[in-house]
Amino acid sequence: MNRREMLVGGVSVGALTTADRALARAPATMAASGLPMPAPVRDLPKALPVADPGRTLLERGWLFHLGDIPMPVPVGHEATYLRAKAGNAAGAAAMAFDDSDWQSVRLPHDWVAEQPFVETANLSQGYRPRGIGWYRRTLRLDTADRGKTLELHFDAIATNATIWINGSIATHNWSGYNSVYVDLTPFARFGDETNVIAIRVDAEAMEGWWYEGGGLYRHVWLVRRAPVAIATDGVHCHPRRGADGGWQVPVAVTVASIARDRSAASVEVQLLDVDGRQVASGQAPVEVAPLDRAEASVTLAVSAPALWSVETPTLYTVVTRLVRDGAAVDERRIAVGFRTIRFDADKGFFLNDRPVKLKGVCLHQDHAGVGVAVPDALIRWRLERLKAMGCNAIRCSHNAPAAEFLDLCDRMGFLVMDENRLFNPSPDYMAQLEWLVRRDRNHPSVILWSVFNEEPMQATEAGVEMVRRMAATVRRLDDERPVTAAMNGGFFNPQNVSSVVDVTGFNYYQGDYDRFHQMYPDRPLTSSEDTSAFETRGAFASDFKGHVITSYDTEAASWGDTHRKTWKNIMDRPFVAGGFVWTGFDYHGEPTPHEWPTIASFFGIMDLCGFPKTAFNIHRAHWVDDRAVVAIAPHWTWPGREGQPIKVFVTSNTERVRLTLNGRDLGEQAVDRIMGNEWTVPYADGRIEAHASSGGRVVASAAQETAGVPVALRLTPARTVMAGDDEDVQPITIDAIDARGRHVPTANLPTRFTVAGGTIIGVGNGDPNSHEPEQGGARSLFNGLAQVIVRAGSGRGRIVVEASAAGLKSARLSIDRLAVPPRVQVPATAAAMTIREWRRSSLYSTRPSPELAPADGDNNSWGFVRGNSPTPADKGGWRVYRTVVTPWRRIAADGGMIRLAAVSGQAELWVDGKQVATKTSATTGPIEAAFPAGAGPRRIVLLVNAAAGAASGIVGPVALTLN
C-alpha cells in the first residue's frame, strides 16, 4: 500500500483519527504521544446474532462457597434408608441446605483469579490455590413450562463437577473444557414450587500444566423448547463444493421428543445471504417416537455463492425450523461459510484453491484480572489485537474454546485448529471428542481437528490404535476437515501416529522438516507449535537473577527458537503449511524459564494484558501484506546513558528503511523482512525515526521520542462507547505522561482508580513477576503501562473512570454508555428456605395430639409427601403432617416467618410443641406465623381437619423467610 502511515508508540498504523484530547489531558495526539496501543474505536461492535432462541442466560442469583462441604454421615437406619432414595441428597447438595451466608456471585466466575499467589501452590497452575467450590441456585419455572423440553447448559466448568437437581444427581462431568448438557425435564417443578441446582466443582483435578482457573467460568443457559424440538447441537449444515464446481448445503437435522405419542413434523430450511435474502430453501418430513430421536435431511443447491476467506469472511445463515400443525415450534440460525480447504504435501495449505500460509498463534484462554472467566467483549478485543498483527490462524491449545470465540473467528476471518483436551478413546472421553465435533463442525473458521497435544504414547502401537479410534469418530461426524495430532517427537519410529492422521503436526523439531518430507512425501505437515521465545515487555536487557528477559528476540527455550529464525524455517519450505507461535498472549502459570516469584509465562507475542512486545512488530513485518508497516525498538528514554551505544532494531515489510536521529541521517538499509534491521546508535535525547520506502518513496514512518519525568496519568479506552447492557466490557490502558503529553515507558509507580456507571472486574500490568491482586482498584504501572477492565452498567448514561498516583496529576475518562437492551436473563429467585418433605399420618376421626409421630425406622405407616400435594378426598377427618427442619443460621439467630401458601381444610400450626397459628376456614387459604429464634432441629406440625369428600392438606409451597 502506498499511503503514508502515522505513528503510535513507535509502531506505524494506517490513517488514524486524532485521539480524544481529553484522554491525555495534554495537547498531544496519540500519534505524537508514543502510547503503544491503538486509538480508541468510536463505535460499538456488532452483537453476535442469536442462534438458538430457546436459550436464556442463567447467570444471576448464584451463591458460591469456597472450600469443600463434606457429605454428613447418616445416623440410624431411617437416615441411611432415605439417603439412598432419589431427591434425598445430603449436605450442600440437599434442597433444604442452609446457604444463607454464601457469597452472591454472577457468572461467568473464576474463583481462582481472586486468590493470592502462594509459593506452595502448584507452579504450573500459576501458584494460585485451586481447591473445591460449591455453587447453588434456586430456580422458579413458570407453569407454562410444564410439558416442555427443559435443559441446563453449562458451557464449561473447571474442572470436574457433580450436578444435583432437586436433590438428585443429574450428571457428572470429567473435563473443564466441554459443555455440560443437563436434561432438566424429569426433575423439574413448576409454579410456586422452586427448583434447586447444586454443583460441586473439583478444581484440584488438573488437566493441564497451565492456569486453568476454577468454577462456572463460561456461560450458563436455561433452555426451554417444545416437547418435540431440534436437539441441542442437532443441525449439521456445512457447505460442500461438488466435483462439477457447484455448491450444496446438506442439512441434517436431529429431532428429539419427550412427547407421549409418536409425533409427525416437518423440517423447513432456508439459506439467507449476507443481506438476509433467501437464496435457497427446502423441507423434509420427520417422525419421531416418544423419548427418541430421528433425523431429517434437506439438501440446498447454490449456484455461485460469495466465498468465505480470511480477507472477506462472508457468512450466510441457515435457518432451520421445526413445524408442527402449521406452526414453527423450534428454530436454529447457524452462520455458514462457502469455502474449500486442502492440505497439499508439497505446497501447503489451500483456501478456496489459493495457497495461504498459516500465520498462527497458540492461545490459552485466560487474561489479566479475570482469569479464565473472559467476557465475550474481551475475547473480541483479544482477536482484534491478533488481527492487527496480521495473524490469520489460531490453535486452541490445548482444549475446546468458548463457542463465542469461534463465532467471532467466523466473522473476523481466522483459521482455527480446534483441539481436543484428553487423549483417551474410552467412552467418557470419546463423548467429549464427539461433543467437540458436533458443536463446532458448522464453523467455516475451523480447518483442522487436533486429537491430542504432545502425548508420550504418540510413537507406540497403543498410541496409534488410540488415534485410529479417535480419528474414526471425528470422520464419522465430519468428513470434510482433516485430522491432525500435535506431535513432539517419534516422527521416524516404525509405529507413530503420523501414519493415521491426515496432517502431521510438528511441535518444534524444525530441523526434522526436510527429513520427514523426504521420507513421507505424501504426508502433509504443518508446524502445530513453534518458537517458545522469551521476552519481558518493555525490557531491553536480560537480568536472569531478577527474572527479566530482553525483548530483542534473542532468547528462546532449548526446544524452540527466536520468532525470526522460526518463521524463516517455515517460509523457506512451501511444503510446511504454516506455523502456530507459542504463544499469542502471555498466560498465567507454566512460568518458564523461571519459577517463583514468577507466576506467568514469557512466551507471548503480547503480555497478559495484550500490550505488545517487540515480537508483535516482528510478526507484523512477517505477516502483514496489505499495507506498509515499520516499527522501532527500543523506546528512546535512557537517562544516564548519553553517548553509550544502543542497539536499534527496526522491523518492516517494505523495501528499504532509513534511520535518523534528531534529523541526522544514520544510514539506509535494504529491509530484511524476516530478520529485521539493526543499527548501533550512541544515545542522545531527542527523536529517532525510521522511514520505510518502496518504489523509491516513503510509505511508512515510525519514531520513538525521549520522554521527560512523569507529571500526570492518562486513561485510554479501547472504545469511546459501551453498551449499557450490564455485560459489555472493555480494557482501559493507564499510563504516565510527561509535561508534553508523551508516554513515559520507564514509569513504574502505584496507581489507584475508581469507576462510576460501571464495575471494575479485573486489573493487570503484564508483569510476569507481579504478585499484586488482579481484582480491586489498584495496580502499579509496569514499564509504563497498566490495565483496568471495566464492565458497563445498565441503561443510557456515562461511565467515569478516574486514576490517581502520588505526586502526579490525576486522569479522568468519560465513556458514553448507550441504551442497548440487555440480553434476557432468568430472574433471580428471592431467598427462602423451602420446606418440602413431610410425613403424613393416616386419617383420624377425632383430633389427634400434635405430639403424634411415627416410630423411628417406621417407613411404611406414615406417608412421605411433599408440599403442594393435596390429599385426595375421603370420608373426612384429621391428619397430622410433620417435619423436622434446621433453620438457616440467620433465621435461627434472629427468628423469621413461616408461610404456608395454601392449606385446604381447618388447621392448627405448631412449632416445637407450641401452637403458633390457627386456620378456622375449611376453604383453601394461607397460614402465616412468626417463627421463633432457636438453633438446632425444629419440629413443625400441621393438624388438618378436612370435610368429607373434600381434598385437603398442604396444597402450596411452605417456606421459612427472614423477618
Side-chain angles (χ1 to χ4, degrees), residues 874-911:
D874 52 26
K875 61 183 179 180
W878 292 85
R879 291 185 188 271
V880 182
Y881 296 79
R882 297 181 60 88
T883 191
V884 176
V885 299
T886 299
W888 285 348
R889 286 176 286 277
R890 291 179 59 189
I891 295 175
D894 303 330
M897 297 294 295
I898 180 170
R899 293 181 169 92
L900 291 81
V903 174
S904 184
Q906 297 174 332
E908 300 173 10
L909 180 63
W910 295 69
V911 176

Side-chain angles (χ1 to χ4, degrees), residues 421-657:
R421 170 74 292 269
L422 296 168
F423 182 44
N424 192 328
S426 64
D428 283 337
Y429 300 100
M430 196 71 90
Q432 294 173 20
L433 178 60
E434 290 190 9
W435 161 82
L436 174 71
V437 178
R438 288 184 188 278
R439 187 195 69 166
D440 296 347
R441 60 188 174 178
N442 295 319
H443 288 282
S445 58
V446 176
I447 62 166
L448 278 167
W449 304 112
S450 174
V451 294
F452 72 61
N453 171 72
E454 297 185 355
E455 289 292 337
M457 296 175 67
Q458 62 201 348
T460 66
E461 181 180 3
V464 170
E465 290 302 316
M466 292 166 72
V467 169
R468 283 185 63 221
R469 284 151 179 77
M470 297 176 78
T473 294
V474 171
R475 293 171 185 137
R476 174 173 52 83
L477 297 170
D478 174 34
D479 62 358
E480 191 263 353
R481 296 172 182 85
V483 175
T484 188
M487 299 176 64
N488 66 329
F491 302 100
F492 308 107
N493 285 34
Q495 292 266 20
N496 76 80
V497 302
S498 71
S499 64
V500 291
V501 296
D502 305 305
V503 176
T504 302
F506 268 68
N507 280 16
Y508 311 101
Y509 284 87
Q510 292 191 325
D512 286 335
Y513 288 165
D514 295 334
R515 180 185 172 198
F516 184 87
H517 184 55
Q518 291 165 4
M519 286 186 65
Y520 305 109
D522 298 326
R523 295 182 186 177
L525 74 88
T526 186
S527 168
S528 44
E529 182 176 320
D530 53 59
T531 310
S532 279
F534 305 127
E535 292 185 8
T536 300
R537 192 231 344 127
F540 293 93
S542 291
D543 174 7
F544 285 96
K545 185 176 180 180
H547 295 196
V548 175
I549 304 177
T550 178
S551 288
Y552 276 122
D553 189 37
T554 57
E555 303 294 337
S558 59
W559 57 86
D561 212 332
T562 65
H563 292 275
R564 293 169 291 165
K565 291 179 180 178
T566 297
W567 188 244
K568 178 173 175 55
N569 274 328
I570 292 170
M571 283 300 295
D572 286 349
R573 292 164 174 80
F575 62 86
V576 179
F580 293 87
V581 176
W582 190 264
T583 52
F585 296 83
D586 278 341
Y587 53 94
H588 296 86
E590 197 176 16
T592 312
H594 301 296
E595 296 184 3
W596 183 266
T598 300
I599 48 81
S601 77
F602 294 81
F603 294 119
I605 295 171
M606 290 171 276
D607 69 15
L608 282 164
C609 296
F611 297 138
K613 303 180 187 180
T614 304
F616 184 89
N617 296 312
I618 290 172
H619 286 289
R620 287 184 83 227
H622 292 172
W623 293 348
V624 173
D625 295 318
D626 61 348
R627 62 193 183 278
V629 299
V630 64
I632 300 176
H635 60 77
W636 205 242
T637 301
W638 300 98
R641 293 192 59 180
E642 287 77 11
Q644 297 180 24
I646 300 282
K647 182 170 75 172
V648 177
F649 179 57
V650 177
T651 53
S652 182
N653 63 353
T654 60
E655 295 174 0
R656 301 189 67 80
V657 64

